[in-house]
Amino acid sequence: METNVSNKVRNWLAAASVPIIIWTVIPLLWILATSLKSDAALADSSQNVLGNFWPKDISWDNYKLIFTGGAKDLFLPALWHSIVVCLSATVISVVLATFCAYAIARLTFPGKKLILTTALGVSFFPVIAMVTPIFNLWRSVGLFDTIPGLIIPYLALTVPLSIWILAAFFQQIPWEMEQAAQVDGATSWQAFRKVIVPLAAPGVFTTAIIAFFTAWNDFVFSLNLTSEHARTVPAALAFFTGASQFTQPTGAICAAAVVVTIPVVILVLLFQKRIVSGLTSGAVKG
């Protein structure tokens, strides 16, 4: 009986998810379709099908524009900045969060719960509220429009979230395994490096993906803390211009959006189970 009920619930959930998936996918398909339209197709709906949705003749002009055309000087450096800044912020935040989360999970000290609560609270802190003081400070110390000046604020976004997720994973690892390694003669560092870290690898990997997504999608910090030497793709899209002041670069912006979305989509499709596992563990433990 329980199996029948479970199957019914599963079927209802599947049916309810269909309109949600459609509602989510349509904007993504619209961006893809717009990136494949020529300037003429963007201006003339008769050159499109499905109610001006999909172009009759696919054009790669917008992709040529951002990779080899006039927009390459803006897009390609921004793409490189995004890769460098996001990977650096992810590596640093995961390393710092690993040690901090391990201490929270294994050690007993005053204020441990307060640290976890603070980390969770910082994760929900409005980013826009931090921009003005950081902007003024960065202009004073010379970090404005630099790669380090963008990595450091990203750590404020990724480290607290990483600590919360990794603390839940470390709490799931049996304490006896580390004690057994120490009984066999391993030091605390050796037990951590050879026993705990391999067991926590799935959690560390999940945390790294989530931290990377958080940094990759940031717009506010990149827009306000950079000028042109460290600007990432989300902010660079706001500075795309058309062939003239009367032309909107809609196709080029959509092409760039598709390019920067592809890595995110691939990572999600390949590691969706680990991402869901990390979010679930972080929600129920602590």
Side-chain angles (χ1 to χ4, degrees):
M1 182 64 181
E2 294 180 358
T3 303
N4 294 332
V5 173
S6 178
N7 290 336
K8 290 181 179 179
V9 173
R10 189 180 297 109
N11 292 335
W12 278 108
L13 290 176
S17 65
V18 171
I20 298 176
I21 294 175
I22 295 175
W23 182 266
T24 305
V25 169
I26 286 179
L28 300 178
L29 292 177
W30 181 87
I31 294 175
L32 176 61
T34 304
S35 70
L36 297 175
K37 293 180 180 179
S38 62
D39 292 339
L42 289 171
D44 185 4
S45 60
S46 64
Q47 299 189 28
N48 305 310
V49 296
L50 300 177
N52 199 29
F53 183 78
W54 194 264
K56 293 180 180 179
D57 298 318
I58 293 178
S59 173
W60 300 100
D61 292 342
N62 294 314
Y63 291 92
K64 294 178 181 178
L65 179 64
I66 64 175
F67 283 113
T68 61
K72 70 174 184 178
D73 293 335
L74 179 61
F75 178 73
L76 293 181
L79 182 61
W80 173 247
H81 295 156
S82 291
I83 295 174
V84 172
V85 170
C86 295
L87 287 179
S88 301
T90 299
V91 172
I92 295 173
S93 64
V94 170
V95 171
L96 294 178
T98 298
F99 291 110
C100 183
Y102 174 78
I104 292 174
R106 291 299 192 226
L107 304 179
T108 301
F109 55 90
K112 182 170 70 173
K113 292 184 177 180
L114 179 61
I115 294 177
L116 275 175
T117 304
T118 303
L120 185 62
V122 171
S123 300
F124 292 103
F125 198 79
V127 175
I128 192 65
M130 298 185 286
V131 169
T132 300
I134 294 178
F135 174 82
N136 293 329
L137 178 62
W138 268 204
R139 291 294 296 267
S140 301
V141 300
L143 286 177
F144 178 78
D145 197 22
T146 62
I147 296 296
L150 202 55
I151 293 175
I152 295 173
Y154 280 0
L155 295 179
L157 301 178
T158 56
V159 170
L161 183 62
S162 300
I163 291 175
W164 183 264
I165 297 175
L166 283 176
F169 274 97
F170 281 125
Q171 290 172 359
Q172 294 176 352
I173 299 176
W175 176 249
E176 291 77 10
M177 300 185 67
E178 186 175 1
Q179 291 177 325
Q182 293 176 346
V183 170
D184 291 337
T187 63
S188 298
W189 170 247
Q190 290 174 333
F192 171 78
R193 182 169 55 89
K194 297 182 178 180
V195 178
I196 300 301
V197 171
L199 292 175
V204 173
F205 188 78
T206 300
T207 304
I209 294 176
I210 297 174
F212 179 82
F213 288 170
T214 302
W216 185 263
N217 294 326
D218 173 73
F219 173 77
V220 177
F221 280 143
S222 178
L223 181 66
N224 293 277
L225 300 181
T226 62
S227 177
E228 58 182 29
H229 298 99
R231 183 181 293 142
T232 58
V233 171
L237 295 181
F239 293 91
F240 272 29
T241 58
S244 67
Q245 60 178 333
F246 304 104
T247 304
Q248 293 294 331
T250 306
I253 292 176
C254 290
V258 171
V259 171
V260 299
T261 303
I262 289 175
V264 177
V265 173
I266 293 176
L267 288 175
V268 170
L269 292 178
L270 292 178
F271 309 111
Q272 56 182 330
K273 291 185 178 180
R274 294 189 178 185
I275 296 174
V276 173
S277 176
L279 291 173
T280 304
S281 299
V284 300
K285 300 293 290 185

Coordinates of all heavy atoms in Angstrom, one line a residue, residues 166-219:
L166 N 30.2 22.4 4.7 CA 31.3 21.4 5.0 C 31.1 20.9 6.5 O 31.5 19.8 6.8 CB 32.6 22.0 4.8 CG 33.1 22.1 3.3 CD1 34.4 22.8 3.2 CD2 33.2 20.7 2.8
A167 N 30.7 21.8 7.4 CA 30.5 21.4 8.7 C 29.5 20.3 8.8 O 29.7 19.3 9.6 CB 30.0 22.6 9.6
A168 N 28.5 20.3 8.0 CA 27.5 19.2 8.0 C 28.1 17.9 7.5 O 27.8 16.8 8.0 CB 26.3 19.6 7.1
F169 N 29.0 18.0 6.5 CA 29.6 16.8 6.0 C 30.6 16.2 7.0 O 30.7 15.0 7.2 CB 30.4 17.1 4.7 CG 29.5 17.0 3.5 CD1 28.9 18.1 2.9 CD2 29.3 15.8 2.9 CE1 28.2 18.0 1.8 CE2 28.5 15.7 1.8 CZ 27.9 16.8 1.2
F170 N 31.4 17.0 7.7 CA 32.3 16.5 8.7 C 31.6 15.9 9.9 O 32.1 14.9 10.5 CB 33.2 17.7 9.2 CG 34.3 18.0 8.2 CD1 34.5 19.3 7.8 CD2 35.2 17.0 7.8 CE1 35.5 19.6 6.9 CE2 36.2 17.4 6.9 CZ 36.4 18.7 6.5
Q171 N 30.5 16.4 10.2 CA 29.7 15.8 11.3 C 29.2 14.4 11.0 O 28.9 13.6 11.9 CB 28.5 16.7 11.7 CG 29.0 18.0 12.3 CD 27.8 19.0 12.5 OE1 26.7 18.7 12.1 NE2 28.1 20.2 13.1
Q172 N 29.1 14.1 9.7 CA 28.6 12.8 9.3 C 29.7 11.7 9.3 O 29.4 10.5 9.2 CB 28.0 12.9 7.9 CG 26.7 13.7 7.8 CD 26.2 13.9 6.4 OE1 26.9 13.5 5.5 NE2 25.0 14.5 6.2
I173 N 30.9 12.2 9.3 CA 32.1 11.2 9.3 C 32.3 10.7 10.7 O 32.4 11.4 11.7 CB 33.3 11.9 8.8 CG1 33.2 12.4 7.4 CG2 34.5 10.9 8.9 CD1 34.3 13.2 6.9
P174 N 32.3 9.3 10.9 CA 32.5 8.8 12.3 C 33.8 9.2 12.9 O 34.8 9.1 12.3 CB 32.5 7.2 12.0 CG 31.8 7.1 10.7 CD 32.1 8.3 9.9
W175 N 33.7 9.7 14.1 CA 34.8 10.1 14.9 C 35.8 9.0 15.2 O 37.0 9.1 15.3 CB 34.3 10.7 16.2 CG 35.4 11.2 17.1 CD1 35.7 10.7 18.3 CD2 36.3 12.3 17.0 NE1 36.7 11.3 19.0 CE2 37.1 12.3 18.1 CE3 36.5 13.2 16.0 CZ2 38.1 13.3 18.3 CZ3 37.5 14.2 16.2 CH2 38.3 14.2 17.3
E176 N 35.3 7.7 15.2 CA 36.1 6.6 15.6 C 37.1 6.3 14.5 O 38.2 5.7 14.8 CB 35.2 5.3 15.7 CG 34.3 5.3 17.0 CD 33.1 6.2 16.8 OE1 32.9 6.7 15.6 OE2 32.4 6.5 17.8
M177 N 36.9 6.6 13.2 CA 37.8 6.4 12.2 C 39.1 7.2 12.4 O 40.2 6.8 12.2 CB 37.2 6.7 10.8 CG 36.0 5.8 10.5 SD 35.4 6.1 8.9 CE 36.7 5.4 7.9
E178 N 38.9 8.4 12.8 CA 40.1 9.3 13.1 C 40.8 8.8 14.3 O 42.1 8.8 14.4 CB 39.6 10.8 13.2 CG 40.8 11.7 13.4 CD 40.3 13.2 13.4 OE1 39.0 13.4 13.4 OE2 41.1 14.1 13.5
Q179 N 40.1 8.4 15.3 CA 40.7 7.9 16.5 C 41.5 6.6 16.2 O 42.6 6.4 16.8 CB 39.7 7.6 17.6 CG 39.0 8.9 18.2 CD 37.9 8.6 19.2 OE1 37.2 7.6 19.0 NE2 37.8 9.4 20.2
A180 N 41.0 5.8 15.4 CA 41.7 4.5 15.0 C 43.0 4.8 14.3 O 44.0 4.2 14.6 CB 40.8 3.7 14.1
A181 N 43.0 5.9 13.5 CA 44.2 6.3 12.8 C 45.3 6.8 13.8 O 46.5 6.5 13.7 CB 43.9 7.3 11.7
Q182 N 44.8 7.5 14.8 CA 45.7 8.0 15.8 C 46.3 6.9 16.7 O 47.4 7.0 17.1 CB 45.0 9.1 16.6 CG 44.7 10.4 15.8 CD 43.9 11.4 16.6 OE1 43.4 11.1 17.7 NE2 43.8 12.6 16.1
V183 N 45.4 5.9 17.0 CA 45.9 4.8 17.7 C 47.0 4.0 17.0 O 47.9 3.5 17.6 CB 44.7 3.8 18.1 CG1 45.2 2.5 18.6 CG2 43.8 4.5 19.0
D184 N 46.9 4.0 15.6 CA 47.9 3.3 14.8 C 49.2 4.1 14.6 O 50.1 3.7 13.9 CB 47.3 3.0 13.4 CG 46.2 1.9 13.5 OD1 46.2 1.1 14.5 OD2 45.4 1.9 12.6
G185 N 49.2 5.3 15.3 CA 50.5 6.0 15.3 C 50.4 7.3 14.4 O 51.4 8.0 14.3
A186 N 49.3 7.6 13.8 CA 49.2 8.8 13.0 C 49.0 10.0 13.8 O 48.4 10.0 14.9 CB 48.0 8.7 12.0
T187 N 49.6 11.1 13.4 CA 49.4 12.4 14.1 C 48.0 13.0 13.8 O 47.4 12.4 12.9 CB 50.5 13.4 13.7 OG1 50.4 13.7 12.3 CG2 51.9 12.8 14.0
S188 N 47.7 14.0 14.4 CA 46.4 14.6 14.1 C 46.3 15.1 12.7 O 45.3 15.0 12.0 CB 46.1 15.8 15.1 OG 46.0 15.3 16.4
W189 N 47.4 15.7 12.2 CA 47.4 16.2 10.9 C 47.4 15.1 9.8 O 46.7 15.1 8.8 CB 48.7 17.0 10.7 CG 49.0 17.4 9.2 CD1 50.0 17.0 8.4 CD2 48.2 18.2 8.4 NE1 49.9 17.5 7.2 CE2 48.8 18.3 7.1 CE3 47.0 19.0 8.6 CZ2 48.3 19.0 6.0 CZ3 46.5 19.7 7.5 CH2 47.1 19.7 6.3
Q190 N 48.1 14.0 10.1 CA 48.1 12.8 9.2 C 46.7 12.2 9.2 O 46.3 11.8 8.1 CB 49.2 11.8 9.7 CG 50.6 12.2 9.4 CD 51.6 11.3 10.0 OE1 51.3 10.5 10.9 NE2 52.8 11.3 9.4
A191 N 46.1 12.1 10.3 CA 44.7 11.5 10.4 C 43.7 12.4 9.6 O 42.9 11.9 8.9 CB 44.2 11.4 11.8
F192 N 43.9 13.7 9.7 CA 43.0 14.6 9.0 C 43.3 14.5 7.5 O 42.4 14.4 6.7 CB 43.3 16.0 9.5 CG 42.6 17.1 8.6 CD1 41.2 17.3 8.8 CD2 43.3 17.8 7.7 CE1 40.6 18.3 8.0 CE2 42.7 18.8 6.9 CZ 41.3 19.0 7.1
R193 N 44.6 14.5 7.1 CA 44.9 14.5 5.7 C 44.7 13.2 5.0 O 44.2 13.1 3.8 CB 46.4 14.9 5.5 CG 46.9 15.0 4.1 CD 48.3 15.6 4.0 NE 49.2 14.9 4.9 CZ 50.0 13.9 4.5 NH1 49.8 13.5 3.2 NH2 50.8 13.3 5.3
K194 N 44.9 12.0 5.7 CA 44.8 10.7 5.0 C 43.5 10.0 5.3 O 43.2 9.0 4.6 CB 46.0 9.8 5.5 CG 47.3 10.4 5.1 CD 48.5 9.4 5.5 CE 49.8 9.9 5.1 NZ 50.9 9.0 5.5
V195 N 42.7 10.4 6.3 CA 41.5 9.7 6.6 C 40.3 10.6 6.4 O 39.4 10.3 5.7 CB 41.5 9.2 8.1 CG1 40.2 8.6 8.4 CG2 42.7 8.2 8.3
I196 N 40.3 11.8 7.0 CA 39.1 12.7 7.0 C 38.9 13.3 5.6 O 37.8 13.3 5.1 CB 39.2 13.8 8.1 CG1 39.3 13.1 9.5 CG2 38.0 14.7 8.0 CD1 38.2 12.2 9.8
V197 N 40.0 13.9 5.1 CA 39.9 14.6 3.8 C 39.4 13.6 2.7 O 38.4 14.0 1.9 CB 41.2 15.2 3.4 CG1 41.1 15.8 2.0 CG2 41.5 16.4 4.3
P198 N 39.9 12.4 2.5 CA 39.3 11.5 1.5 C 37.9 11.2 1.7 O 37.1 11.1 0.7 CB 40.2 10.3 1.6 CG 41.5 10.8 2.1 CD 41.1 11.8 3.1
L199 N 37.5 11.0 3.0 CA 36.1 10.7 3.2 C 35.2 11.9 3.0 O 34.0 11.7 2.6 CB 35.9 10.2 4.7 CG 36.6 8.9 5.0 CD1 36.4 8.6 6.5 CD2 35.9 7.8 4.2
A200 N 35.7 13.1 3.2 CA 34.9 14.3 3.0 C 35.0 14.9 1.6 O 34.4 15.9 1.3 CB 35.3 15.4 4.0
A201 N 35.7 14.1 0.7 CA 35.9 14.6 -0.7 C 34.6 14.9 -1.4 O 34.5 16.0 -2.1 CB 36.8 13.6 -1.5
P202 N 33.6 14.1 -1.3 CA 32.3 14.4 -2.0 C 31.7 15.8 -1.5 O 31.2 16.6 -2.3 CB 31.4 13.3 -1.7 CG 32.3 12.1 -1.4 CD 33.5 12.7 -0.7
G203 N 31.8 16.0 -0.2 CA 31.3 17.2 0.3 C 32.1 18.4 -0.1 O 31.6 19.5 -0.4
V204 N 33.5 18.3 -0.1 CA 34.3 19.3 -0.5 C 34.1 19.7 -2.0 O 34.0 20.8 -2.4 CB 35.8 18.9 -0.3 CG1 36.7 20.0 -0.9 CG2 36.1 18.8 1.1
F205 N 33.9 18.6 -2.8 CA 33.6 18.8 -4.2 C 32.3 19.6 -4.4 O 32.2 20.5 -5.3 CB 33.6 17.5 -4.9 CG 33.5 17.6 -6.4 CD1 34.6 17.9 -7.2 CD2 32.3 17.4 -7.1 CE1 34.6 18.0 -8.6 CE2 32.2 17.5 -8.5 CZ 33.4 17.8 -9.2
T206 N 31.3 19.2 -3.7 CA 30.0 19.8 -3.8 C 30.1 21.3 -3.4 O 29.5 22.2 -4.0 CB 28.9 19.1 -2.9 OG1 28.8 17.8 -3.3 CG2 27.6 19.8 -3.0
T207 N 30.8 21.5 -2.3 CA 31.0 22.9 -1.8 C 31.7 23.8 -2.9 O 31.3 24.9 -3.1 CB 31.7 22.9 -0.5 OG1 31.0 22.1 0.4 CG2 31.9 24.3 0.1
A208 N 32.7 23.2 -3.5 CA 33.4 23.9 -4.5 C 32.5 24.3 -5.7 O 32.6 25.4 -6.2 CB 34.6 23.1 -5.0
I209 N 31.6 23.4 -6.1 CA 30.7 23.8 -7.2 C 29.8 24.9 -6.8 O 29.6 25.8 -7.6 CB 29.9 22.5 -7.6 CG1 30.9 21.4 -8.2 CG2 28.8 22.9 -8.6 CD1 30.2 20.2 -8.5
I210 N 29.2 24.8 -5.6 CA 28.3 25.9 -5.2 C 29.0 27.2 -5.0 O 28.5 28.2 -5.4 CB 27.6 25.4 -3.9 CG1 26.8 24.2 -4.1 CG2 26.7 26.5 -3.3 CD1 26.2 23.6 -2.8
A211 N 30.2 27.2 -4.5 CA 31.0 28.4 -4.3 C 31.3 29.0 -5.7 O 31.3 30.2 -5.9 CB 32.3 28.1 -3.5
F212 N 31.7 28.1 -6.6 CA 32.0 28.6 -8.0 C 30.8 29.3 -8.6 O 30.9 30.4 -9.2 CB 32.5 27.5 -8.8 CG 32.8 27.9 -10.3 CD1 34.0 28.4 -10.6 CD2 31.9 27.7 -11.3 CE1 34.4 28.8 -11.9 CE2 32.2 28.0 -12.6 CZ 33.4 28.6 -12.9
F213 N 29.6 28.7 -8.5 CA 28.4 29.3 -9.0 C 28.1 30.6 -8.4 O 27.7 31.6 -9.1 CB 27.2 28.3 -8.8 CG 27.2 27.1 -9.7 CD1 26.3 26.1 -9.4 CD2 28.1 27.0 -10.7 CE1 26.3 24.9 -10.2 CE2 28.1 25.8 -11.5 CZ 27.2 24.8 -11.3
T214 N 28.3 30.7 -7.1 CA 28.0 32.0 -6.4 C 28.9 33.1 -7.0 O 28.4 34.2 -7.2 CB 28.3 31.8 -4.9 OG1 27.4 30.8 -4.4 CG2 27.9 33.1 -4.2
A215 N 30.2 32.8 -7.1 CA 31.1 33.8 -7.7 C 30.9 34.1 -9.1 O 31.0 35.2 -9.6 CB 32.6 33.4 -7.4
W216 N 30.6 33.1 -9.9 CA 30.4 33.2 -11.4 C 29.2 34.1 -11.7 O 29.3 34.8 -12.7 CB 30.3 31.8 -12.0 CG 30.2 31.8 -13.5 CD1 29.1 31.7 -14.2 CD2 31.3 31.7 -14.4 NE1 29.4 31.7 -15.6 CE2 30.8 31.7 -15.7 CE3 32.7 31.7 -14.2 CZ2 31.6 31.6 -16.8 CZ3 33.5 31.7 -15.4 CH2 32.9 31.7 -16.6
N217 N 28.2 34.0 -10.9 CA 27.0 34.8 -11.2 C 26.9 36.2 -10.6 O 25.9 36.9 -10.8 CB 25.7 34.0 -10.8 CG 25.6 32.7 -11.5 OD1 25.9 32.6 -12.7 ND2 25.1 31.6 -10.8
D218 N 27.9 36.5 -9.9 CA 27.9 37.9 -9.2 C 27.9 39.0 -10.2 O 28.7 39.0 -11.2 CB 29.1 38.0 -8.3 CG 29.1 39.4 -7.7 OD1 28.3 39.7 -6.8 OD2 30.0 40.2 -8.1
F219 N 27.1 40.0 -10.0 CA 27.0 41.2 -10.8 C 27.3 42.4 -10.1 O 28.0 43.3 -10.6 CB 25.6 41.3 -11.5 CG 25.4 42.5 -12.2 CD1 25.9 42.7 -13.5 CD2 24.6 43.6 -11.7 CE1 25.7 43.8 -14.2 CE2 24.4 44.7 -12.4 CZ 24.9 44.9 -13.7

